[in-house]
Amino acid sequence: MPNLLKDLCLTLILGFLFAEVFLRVSSHLGLAIPENPSQKPIFIIGILLFSLVFRLLMHVRQGSK
């Protein structure tokens, strides 16, 4: 269980960093992702949730072996 908790914390940190870097790079390149700037927190939360679900699925898959 401690490994899962450590993995989830690491996933949250890396997911947040990825989202921030992605938004800054897309802004620098002139891409409007997301189109409405007020949707930035929702975009970041979406990336974090996707990352967490992916990590949990990987954990379940490794646990079933």
Side-chain angles (χ1 to χ4, degrees):
M1 189 67 169
N3 269 346
L4 176 62
L5 198 54
K6 183 181 86 170
D7 285 346
L8 290 178
C9 288
L10 185 62
T11 300
L12 278 174
I13 292 168
L14 291 176
F16 180 76
L17 289 174
F18 172 75
E20 281 295 323
V21 168
F22 181 76
L23 287 173
R24 289 179 192 264
V25 168
S26 66
S27 174
H28 181 69
L29 294 175
L31 301 172
I33 300 175
E35 289 182 10
N36 188 353
S38 67
Q39 294 176 334
K40 180 181 173 183
I42 295 170
F43 183 80
I44 292 173
I45 290 171
I47 288 178
L48 290 175
L49 288 176
F50 177 79
S51 301
L52 285 174
V53 168
F54 186 76
R55 174 63 72 179
L56 287 172
L57 287 173
M58 293 296 292
H59 179 74
V60 168
R61 183 174 181 212
Q62 289 174 353
S64 66
K65 286 185 178 180

